[in-house]
Amino acid sequence: MTRPSRDKPKPDHTPENRAFSGLIEAGRTASDFGGPTLERRPIAEQVATRIMSMIKSGNLKSGDRLPTEQQMTIAFGISRPPLREALKALTLMGVLASRQGGRYTVTDLTPSRLFAPFNTMLSVADYDVHQQFEARTVVDLELVRLCTLRASVELRQRIRKLAVDGQAFEHDPVAFRLLDIEFHQAINTGAGNDLLSALAQVLYDLGLDVRRTASEVPGVIAKSVGQHIEVADAILAHDAEAAAAAYRRHLEHVRDTTTQSMALTRS
């Protein structure tokens, strides 16, 4: 991270600041702040990622109070504006809470919160539909298999109902998209793995603007509904391989219609 040439804060050697600096050094890896990819990222994003890394590694825990802004600018070697931007972003995500006197406290560490910076990073990167669906194939197919093995009878029936109810929304893209989210989240819930579910949600959310356009093409929703029903029937029958095969066909359909929609938008 590059030090500003002006308004450079004076060193602060208080025990609290030395401790925080030690945490930062402990969380560094060989690639932190040194590679060409990281150098292109905004300083605020690098700081937010660093703080999140400290939380994930256990260097910072729920309830810990961060040092003052002045102490953190010294520890990170930056000015206050990017630090405040990073702290604001983490606060909006619910990872940090602002307390009276300007100090920040680490809140809960749920998987959805821990994946939020990953989601932000991907959302601003160049969208690659093939990489997205390659990743979804790896993550989502395992979630479907786990759901088939672990889901309760009640949840299996809910998944089946959501799939069938989609038939009523074949000509209402907005309503179908809402139902589609519920369908996929129900499968993720049935898998019983919060980390995989959080990652699946990140991947699902990528390129939603393109998916909105694709869902309005005649026939796209009807085919998706039919594939949802195939997946749900296999889950209901406890057939993990059939569920995964049906889900793969569904992902291929979503990938292909997304690609076609992107091509039409660019032409």
Side-chain angles (χ1 to χ4, degrees):
M1 194 174 290
T2 305
R3 291 180 180 271
S5 58
R6 293 179 296 178
D7 300 327
K8 189 174 180 179
K10 296 180 180 180
D12 183 345
H13 300 295
T14 62
E16 186 173 20
N17 187 56
R18 288 199 303 271
F20 188 69
S21 298
L23 287 179
I24 292 174
E25 291 302 323
R28 287 185 188 275
T29 63
S31 62
D32 280 344
F33 301 96
T37 301
L38 287 178
E39 288 175 350
R40 291 196 294 268
R41 291 164 53 198
I43 292 176
E45 184 180 338
Q46 295 183 59
V47 173
T49 301
R50 171 55 54 75
I51 293 174
M52 286 298 305
S53 296
M54 294 166 68
I55 292 172
K56 292 178 191 179
S57 68
N59 281 328
L60 289 173
K61 297 183 180 296
S62 180
D64 282 352
R65 190 172 66 161
L66 298 186
T68 65
E69 287 186 3
Q70 181 183 13
Q71 290 169 331
M72 283 191 283
T73 58
I74 295 167
F76 286 119
I78 61 173
S79 59
R80 288 199 177 189
L83 173 66
R84 287 175 173 171
E85 184 179 345
L87 294 174
K88 180 180 179 181
L90 292 172
T91 302
L92 289 173
M93 289 188 289
V95 174
L96 299 179
S98 178
R99 303 302 184 195
Q100 189 173 6
R103 302 291 289 271
Y104 289 82
T105 302
V106 180
T107 59
D108 66 275
L109 308 178
T110 58
S112 60
R113 294 243 167 93
L114 295 180
F115 274 106
F118 179 55
N119 192 10
T120 301
M121 177 189 71
L122 291 178
S123 66
V124 298
D126 291 336
Y127 175 61
D128 188 316
V129 63
H130 298 290
Q131 287 190 16
Q132 178 196 2
F133 284 95
E134 185 174 66
R136 283 194 68 181
T137 298
V138 173
V139 176
D140 287 11
L141 293 190
E142 185 59 26
L143 284 166
V144 169
R145 291 189 183 96
L146 291 175
C147 177
T148 306
L149 298 172
R150 298 175 177 175
S152 65
V153 173
E154 293 76 16
L155 187 54
R156 292 172 197 272
Q157 292 172 343
R158 171 170 164 73
I159 291 170
R160 180 64 165 66
K161 184 177 188 304
L162 286 168
V164 173
D165 285 349
Q167 295 173 330
F169 302 120
E170 291 183 4
H171 303 290
D172 189 340
V174 174
F176 174 74
R177 287 195 297 267
L178 294 176
L179 191 74
D180 185 69
I181 292 173
E182 292 298 316
F183 174 77
H184 288 284
Q185 286 184 340
I187 291 175
N188 296 345
T189 298
N193 187 307
D194 290 342
L195 288 175
L196 278 178
S197 295
L199 182 54
Q201 188 60 50
V202 169
L203 294 171
Y204 179 94
D205 289 343
L206 288 178
L208 279 180
D209 287 341
V210 181
R211 288 302 308 150
R212 278 192 282 269
T213 302
S215 67
E216 294 172 359
V217 175
V220 168
I221 291 178
K223 187 168 183 177
S224 287
V225 169
Q227 292 170 337
H228 282 184
I229 294 173
E230 290 179 1
V231 172
D233 284 344
I235 291 174
L236 202 60
H238 299 263
D239 190 338
E241 293 310 310
Y247 202 100
R248 181 185 291 275
R249 290 192 294 273
H250 176 55
L251 284 179
E252 290 172 349
H253 164 65
V254 175
R255 179 200 62 202
D256 293 344
T257 55
T258 299
T259 303
Q260 293 165 9
S261 180
M262 291 174 66
L264 290 174
T265 301
R266 291 170 181 169
S267 62

